[in-house]
Amino acid sequence: MLQTRDLIWTLLFIGCAASIQVQITPTQGEISVGESKFFLCEVVGDATDIDWYAPSGEKIVSSQDVFVSRTDESTSTLTIYHATVDSSGNYKCVAKSADKEAQATVQVKIFQKISFKNAPSLQEFNEGDNADIVCDVVSSPPATIFWKHKGAKIHVAKDVRFKIMENAHLQIRGIKKTDEGMYTCEARVMARGEIDFRAIKVVINVLPTIRIRQAEVNATADIGTSAMLACDADGFPEPTVTWARNNVVLETDEKYSLNEDGSELLIKDVTKVDEGDYTCMAKNKAGEKEEEVSLNVFVTPRITYLNNQTASELQEHVTLTCEASGEPTPAITWSFGPRVFTEREQASWTRPDTYESLDGNVVVRSDARVSSLTLKYVQFSDAGQYLCTARNPIGQDSKNMYLEVRYSPKIQGPVTVYTWEGNSANISCEVLAHPGASVVWFRDGQQLPSANTTNIKIYSTPTASYLEITPESQNDFGSYNCTATNVIGSESKEFLMIQAEVPSAPTVEGVAPFSSTAMVNFEEPDSNGGVSVLRYKVDWRQPGQDWSSREFEVETGTNQIILTGLKPETAYEVKMAAVNGKGDGESSPSTPFTTKPIRYTFTTPPETSTPSIPPPTTLPLKGEPSAPKLEAKVQKKGNALKVNWVKQDDGGTPIKHYLVRYKPKHVSDWRPEIRVPHGSDHVLLQALDWNTEYEVYVVAENQQGKSKPAVVSFRTAMQPTAIPEVGGSGLGTGAIVGILMVVFLLLLVGVDVTCYFLNKCGLLMCIAVNFCGKTGPGAKGKDIEEGKAAFTKDESKEPIVEVRTEEANPPTQDGGAPTEPSETTPLTEAEPTSPDTTSPVVNSLPTAASNSTPGASERNTAAAVESAKSAAEASLPASAGSKDSGPAPAGATSSSTPDVGPLVDLSEGASLTVAPPKAATAASEPDAKAAEPKESTGSPSTASTAQADIKVAIDDKANANDAITKEANATETKEVKEVDAVPNSTTEVKTVPNEAPVANGNESKA
């Protein structure tokens, strides 16, 4: 380009060396409104001035919109800023040099680019409207507009609903939801090849529609229930749902509750005032829609008025009134026992709301919420409870009222009574009366019982009087009068006591014999003699032999008797008689029959077709038993059955067992087979299906095989309505028995523990003594206390004196350690003695061997008692002082082990028994023998450290002898001195009254 340009300029310069040339670049210009552009004016030659002239011819002076600048001597630039339509035209560049001038022009065209002046990107319309999609385009020259939907060009010729308006808008008539989407407004300027577009989103808003779930909602008032009203709203955008009543918008509070989207209105605790219309309102950009929902509030019936009435028999009429409330209006009915009186039943033509009974005595009238029942002629049978029931579709309410009818006595009861001499019978005089009546019995005008009647007694209840008569002769039979009287009136009735007779003979209808049994069918006697038949007497025999007899109790509905123990193929005759309370009736004529033979079974060998003949034998042939006779009885439960059977022919072999199968008839599978022992005659089938027909097969089996099945069918009862048990404990019998046993054992343990701690006895005490070697808590203290109690003084009897004499506790053989206390340990401790001091032992009691004469024995006994008393008095201070002293010093020495003195029991006889002491150890036995008492000589013992514990028990019977007592008193002084001669010893004396023997646990020790 530059080379060509330079060449042109060179040629011009050569051709016109003396002239000025002007050229504008670009030669023409097109500027869009608002744009800026510059033009370059180039001059060839020497030019002094280069000027630009506007289309108006005026020289251009630089301004804000137009600017002229000269860059060098040969060029000048014209710049047009932000061109407007007025900026268009021919611009001229003039170059001057002395007398030379040259110019060039450039045409500037100002055009409008495509501009979307009004084309919203989101435009919304309501469904069904004529939509005008706005797209205003500004351009010069004017642009051509094209519309597209979802990328496809819209052809208005194909869809008459679409139309491009003169202003280039797109109109859609009856716009639909399916027309929603993105639309493109495209503008083109063909002269410039310019194109531009705008995307417009068209949204179709749909007016809300409301779908009512239930136009009428029913609710019950005053029972704490809630009612829900619901409406579902559709539309675009999603509508807002609100509820209103009486133009008041409802909001969530204590009475009303709305769900999240407002479609459900919950009315709490519905009452009658909540009834009415509720408005469901749905609103969105497209508009608002309303629908109404009706709430019907029903009120359960409630009887508001019903009072008891009192009337007298044969009164003209009495009216019972019942009022009830409820919504809808309840229908009121009356009932009296099984009778129901309802309005509009058997109504007359004149009063369609009136019920009149067939006898015309009862008339029921109803008006709105009030119903009345009128009894035209009151009778005593009209007394009782009348039930008024108010019903509507919501529920019902019932209340009872009592009609009290005062009437004279009405005597009822059977007129005839049958009995026999010696058998007491009651004539019942049942009296209906209000108020109550007094009853008096008469016979032949004489009030009963009388002084001459000892066989008549009267028993009375509030509603009946019973005359008990024990007939002694024919004169006691006849007529008796019962008279009942109250304040209204009185009534009398005659009763007959008739002599009973024995029943007539029953009729034997037929006998069904078997091999060993026979079934006798009979008809009941024509006359029972006035009293019930108690049993039937059946006699049977072989012709020419004695009669065999058996009595059968009467079973209701059964006229069959089974005879057993018969012989096969034997002729018999049978007769029957009925028995009632008076005696046996006449026998029926004899009916002969013959038992059947025993059935035999023959086997056919496989190799031959002829039956095998049993070998000759003297024994009867045996076969399968016959089918038993069955009888089915449905139990009280209704779904349990007792099947009884009677054994028939046993086939000559004892029955082993019975096989029982059963099943419902509509089922093909049998229940598990039941095997019943041969001695049983029934089976109880339980837990059967209700109201189902069953069939039962019973087969008898012996060693030869099984009988044919005996079949019986029955149907179980209908299933009863379950009634909850009132006051049931909920525990089974086993649980109750177990609880009672546990409580009983706990009581026994409590009693035993109490006896153990209080009385030292019982099972725990035995276990402690025998197994644990213990005497129980506080046993020793108890023994001591019992000892003190036993020796408490009683002035009325002679004392028992216990004397214990002992020395200080000696050391043991192992080193002088103190000995453990035991039952023989003295209650007081002796004062320590010097090693050289000898302690003589007082042998105040002779041994059993030395007491050979009664006189000597009694004297020695008395002397011992008195000496013990004196010794006890002398030793009491020492005993008291040494009671709490410690054990003996370890240094104390002794040459022997301490022994316990003999226990002497002075019995009623003259002899004195001395129990030898128990040695503490085996090593102490010699010393124990040395310490045994000898004959009383009055000299002290030579053993200086021996410890003696002498217990003297004197029986109260021995003190009865006054002579012996006097002799003992005579020697008292001497014996006391001998006791006082024992140094360093401790003596304990206890004196207790000699009471009657008391079991205190110490008998064995005594």
Side-chain angles (χ1 to χ4, degrees):
M1 289 292 296
L2 293 176
Q3 294 177 357
T4 303
R5 182 179 177 183
D6 294 341
L7 180 60
I8 292 173
W9 279 106
T10 301
L11 294 175
L12 290 174
F13 180 76
I14 294 173
C16 302
S19 64
I20 300 174
Q21 300 292 329
V22 178
Q23 183 179 0
I24 299 175
T25 304
T27 59
Q28 65 178 6
E30 290 184 356
I31 306 173
S32 174
V33 175
E35 291 185 351
S36 299
K37 197 168 186 178
F38 72 92
F39 297 91
L40 181 63
C41 180
E42 297 176 323
V43 179
V44 179
D46 296 330
T48 57
D49 297 319
I50 302 177
D51 298 316
W52 287 90
Y53 291 90
S56 61
E58 297 179 359
K59 183 179 179 181
I60 299 175
V61 180
S62 295
S63 65
Q64 185 177 358
D65 296 330
V66 180
F67 183 78
V68 176
S69 64
R70 187 171 181 176
T71 56
D72 55 26
E73 294 179 354
S74 59
T75 60
S76 177
T77 302
L78 172 66
T79 303
I80 301 174
Y81 292 101
H82 305 295
T84 63
V85 177
D86 296 336
S87 302
S88 63
N90 292 323
Y91 288 82
K92 183 170 57 175
C93 178
V94 178
K96 294 178 180 181
S97 174
D99 54 352
K100 297 179 181 179
E101 179 179 327
Q103 63 179 8
T105 60
V106 60
Q107 185 180 9
V108 177
K109 296 180 180 179
I110 305 299
F111 67 94
Q112 176 67 52
K113 288 182 62 176
I114 296 175
S115 175
F116 293 91
K117 184 177 180 181
N118 183 18
S121 60
L122 176 63
Q123 299 184 36
E124 299 183 28
F125 305 95
N126 294 337
E127 187 178 32
D129 292 348
N130 291 331
D132 187 3
I133 304 176
V134 176
C135 182
D136 292 333
V137 180
V138 177
S139 70
S140 58
T144 303
I145 305 300
F146 299 92
W147 286 93
K148 296 181 180 180
H149 181 215
K150 297 180 181 178
K153 186 177 179 180
I154 297 175
H155 299 280
V156 295
K158 294 183 179 180
D159 193 342
V160 296
R161 294 189 307 116
F162 292 88
K163 180 181 180 182
I164 299 177
M165 309 295 290
E166 293 181 358
N167 57 2
H169 293 181
L170 176 64
Q171 183 186 60
I172 304 176
R173 289 187 292 270
I175 194 168
K176 304 176 182 177
K177 186 66 177 175
T178 55
D179 296 330
E180 190 176 58
M182 295 300 297
Y183 285 78
T184 303
C185 176
E186 184 179 283
R188 296 182 181 181
V189 178
M190 302 301 294
R192 292 191 301 271
E194 183 181 2
I195 186 172
D196 199 358
F197 67 92
R198 285 290 183 268
I200 300 174
K201 182 178 181 181
V202 174
V203 176
I204 308 302
N205 295 326
V206 181
L207 184 70
T209 58
I210 297 177
R211 186 179 69 258
I212 300 298
R213 297 185 191 174
Q214 190 173 350
E216 290 189 1
V217 177
N218 298 327
T220 303
D222 304 326
I223 60 173
T225 58
S226 300
M228 178 177 287
L229 311 181
C231 68
D232 297 318
D234 295 325
F236 187 87
E238 184 177 355
T240 301
V241 179
T242 56
W243 289 86
R245 185 186 183 196
N246 299 329
N247 297 323
V248 177
V249 177
L250 304 178
E251 297 179 353
T252 299
D253 55 13
E254 294 181 356
K255 182 64 178 178
Y256 303 102
S257 177
L258 294 167
N259 65 343
E260 185 176 355
D261 60 1
S263 61
E264 296 178 351
L265 172 65
L266 183 67
I267 305 174
K268 307 172 186 176
D269 297 330
V270 176
T271 60
K272 185 63 178 176
V273 297
D274 295 326
E275 188 175 59
D277 294 332
Y278 291 78
T279 303
C280 173
M281 299 179 296
K283 184 178 182 180
N284 65 3
K285 292 180 180 180
E288 182 176 347
K289 188 77 177 218
E290 295 181 356
E291 291 289 345
E292 288 188 348
V293 180
S294 296
L295 175 62
N296 300 321
V297 178
F298 298 102
V299 181
T300 56
R302 187 171 65 89
I303 295 177
T304 58
Y305 178 83
L306 185 67
N307 290 334
N308 296 332
Q309 297 280 350
T310 302
S312 297
E313 190 177 27
L314 302 181
Q315 183 178 337
E316 183 176 353
H317 72 274
V318 62
T319 300
L320 314 179
T321 303
C322 180
E323 296 181 6
S325 63
E327 186 65 35
T329 302
I332 300 176
T333 60
W334 292 87
S335 61
F336 177 64
R339 298 178 63 186
V340 179
F341 313 106
T342 308
E343 62 177 355
R344 298 184 179 91
E345 291 183 4
Q346 298 183 5
S348 64
W349 292 103
T350 58
R351 293 295 304 274
D353 58 347
T354 301
Y355 163 82
E356 186 172 351
S357 61
L358 295 178
D359 57 4
N361 188 46
V362 180
V363 177
V364 177
R365 292 182 175 89
S366 297
D367 182 13
R369 303 175 188 272
V370 181
S371 179
S372 64
L373 183 146
T374 301
L375 302 174
K376 292 184 178 180
Y377 304 101
V378 180
Q379 302 173 6
F380 78 95
S381 58
D382 295 329
Q385 282 190 344
Y386 286 77
L387 180 66
C388 175
T389 304
R391 292 185 179 90
N392 67 7
I394 305 304
Q396 70 176 32
D397 187 24
S398 299
K399 280 189 178 180
N400 289 308
M401 63 83 58
Y402 189 81
L403 175 61
E404 178 185 2
V405 178
R406 298 165 57 87
Y407 56 93
S408 60
K410 314 293 180 185
I411 297 179
Q412 300 176 343
V415 176
T416 58
V417 177
Y418 289 85
T419 186
W420 57 91
E421 295 178 3
N423 182 64
S424 299
N426 290 331
I427 300 178
S428 301
C429 180
E430 300 175 3
V431 180
L432 299 177
H434 184 73
S438 60
V439 179
V440 181
W441 289 91
F442 296 93
R443 188 180 190 197
D444 298 332
Q446 183 179 4
Q447 184 174 345
L448 299 177
S450 63
N452 299 328
T453 56
T454 59
N455 60 337
I456 295 178
K457 296 180 182 179
I458 297 177
Y459 303 95
S460 297
T461 66
T463 59
S465 179
Y466 303 95
L467 182 66
E468 181 185 284
I469 304 175
T470 305
E472 297 177 350
S473 64
Q474 187 65 32
N475 294 332
D476 292 328
F477 296 94
S479 175
Y480 291 84
N481 177 272
C482 174
T483 301
T485 305
N486 68 358
V487 296
I488 306 299
S490 64
E491 182 171 301
S492 298
K493 188 174 184 179
E494 295 291 331
F495 293 89
L496 295 177
M497 177 170 283
I498 302 174
Q499 174 84 11
E501 302 294 340
V502 295
S504 61
T507 303
V508 177
E509 293 290 332
V511 180
F514 301 93
S515 61
S516 60
T517 61
M519 180 181 295
V520 181
N521 297 311
F522 65 94
E523 287 289 337
E524 297 179 355
D526 296 333
S527 173
N528 59 5
V531 292
S532 300
V533 175
L534 302 178
R535 51 192 175 273
Y536 291 99
K537 181 179 179 183
V538 181
D539 297 326
W540 72 93
R541 69 176 181 180
Q542 299 180 26
Q545 296 187 6
D546 294 335
W547 291 96
S548 297
S549 180
R550 182 180 174 185
E551 291 187 351
F552 296 85
E553 296 294 330
V554 173
E555 294 185 9
T556 304
T558 302
N559 289 345
Q560 292 180 343
I561 289 176
I562 305 297
L563 301 180
T564 59
L566 305 180
K567 297 180 181 179
E569 294 185 280
T570 304
Y572 287 91
E573 56 182 344
V574 62
K575 62 181 180 177
M576 292 183 62
V579 181
N580 63 6
K582 187 171 183 180
D584 297 353
E586 297 180 357
S587 297
S588 64
S590 299
T591 301
F593 68 93
T594 302
T595 57
K596 294 183 179 181
I598 298 176
R599 297 186 302 107
Y600 301 106
T601 301
F602 299 96
T603 59
T604 302
E607 62 273 4
T608 178
S609 59
T610 59
S612 61
I613 300 176
T617 176
T618 58
L619 297 177
L621 295 177
K622 302 176 182 179
E624 297 92 348
S626 299
K629 292 293 181 180
L630 301 183
E631 179 185 7
K633 293 184 179 180
V634 178
Q635 302 300 293
K636 291 183 178 180
K637 293 181 179 179
N639 65 336
L641 177 76
K642 183 178 181 181
V643 180
N644 299 307
W645 58 76
V646 178
K647 185 186 76 171
Q648 301 301 311
D649 183 9
D650 59 8
T653 305
I655 301 295
K656 294 195 301 181
H657 48 252
Y658 293 92
L659 304 178
V660 181
R661 294 193 305 166
Y662 67 99
K663 70 176 182 66
K665 280 194 172 181
H666 64 278
V667 177
S668 59
D669 296 333
W670 292 88
R671 300 290 175 87
E673 189 175 68
I674 302 174
R675 177 169 295 188
V676 182
H678 65 88
S680 300
D681 60 355
H682 72 277
V683 65
L684 185 62
L685 307 178
Q686 301 186 27
L688 304 177
D689 296 335
W690 294 100
N691 193 25
T692 304
E693 190 170 359
Y694 281 84
E695 57 181 352
V696 182
Y697 283 16
V698 180
V699 174
E701 184 177 5
N702 63 8
Q703 291 185 353
Q704 303 301 320
K706 298 179 182 179
S707 70
K708 294 182 179 179
V711 183
V712 64
S713 299
F714 68 97
R715 177 177 288 275
T716 54
M718 297 289 291
Q719 185 173 6
T721 303
I723 301 177
E725 182 179 357
V726 178
S729 63
L731 295 176
T733 305
I736 295 175
V737 172
I739 293 174
L740 293 177
M741 293 180 64
V742 171
V743 172
F744 182 71
L745 290 176
L746 291 176
L747 289 175
L748 287 181
V749 172
V751 172
D752 191 68
V753 171
T754 304
C755 294
Y756 174 71
F757 284 101
L758 296 181
N759 299 327
K760 306 303 178 290
C761 60
L763 182 61
L764 290 177
M765 187 66 187
C766 294
I767 295 175
V769 172
N770 297 329
F771 294 97
C772 302
K774 298 180 180 180
T775 58
K780 182 176 290 185
K782 180 175 181 297
D783 292 340
I784 296 174
E785 291 177 1
E786 288 177 351
K788 291 180 181 180
F791 293 106
T792 303
K793 185 175 182 181
D794 188 353
E795 297 297 338
S796 63
K797 298 183 181 180
E798 292 297 328
I800 295 177
V801 180
E802 181 180 13
V803 181
R804 292 188 181 183
T805 305
E806 59 190 8
E807 292 187 354
N809 293 334
T812 60
Q813 295 179 357
D814 296 334
T819 59
E820 291 290 334
S822 63
E823 293 182 356
T824 59
T825 303
L827 298 177
T828 59
E829 297 182 0
E831 297 179 358
T833 58
S834 59
D836 346 347
T837 307
T838 59
S839 300
V841 177
V842 180
N843 291 328
S844 60
L845 298 177
T847 63
S850 62
N851 289 291
S852 57
T853 61
S857 173
E858 294 169 357
R859 286 193 298 273
N860 291 336
T861 301
V865 170
E866 296 302 327
S867 62
K869 289 181 179 180
S870 301
E873 294 174 358
S875 61
L876 280 177
S879 301
S882 61
K883 182 176 182 181
D884 298 329
S885 60
T893 60
S894 177
S895 60
S896 63
T897 304
D899 297 323
V900 178
L903 179 63
V904 182
D905 182 13
L906 299 182
S907 61
E908 186 177 355
S911 62
L912 182 65
T913 303
V914 180
K918 296 181 181 180
T921 60
S924 62
E925 290 182 2
D927 295 336
K929 293 180 180 180
E932 290 181 359
K934 301 179 181 179
E935 295 183 0
S936 178
T937 59
S939 60
S941 175
T942 57
S944 61
T945 61
Q947 178 184 9
D949 185 3
I950 304 175
K951 297 181 180 179
V952 181
I954 304 175
D955 193 279
D956 58 344
K957 295 182 181 180
N959 296 329
N961 194 333
D962 295 337
I964 297 176
T965 305
K966 292 179 180 181
E967 287 189 17
N969 292 335
T971 59
E972 178 181 0
T973 306
K974 180 178 178 181
E975 298 300 333
V976 168
K977 290 180 180 179
E978 291 177 350
V979 172
D980 292 337
V982 181
N984 299 327
S985 63
T986 302
T987 305
E988 179 180 354
V989 179
K990 295 183 179 178
T991 305
V992 297
N994 192 8
E995 297 178 352
V998 179
N1000 57 8
N1002 295 328
E1003 291 83 351
S1004 60
K1005 295 180 181 180

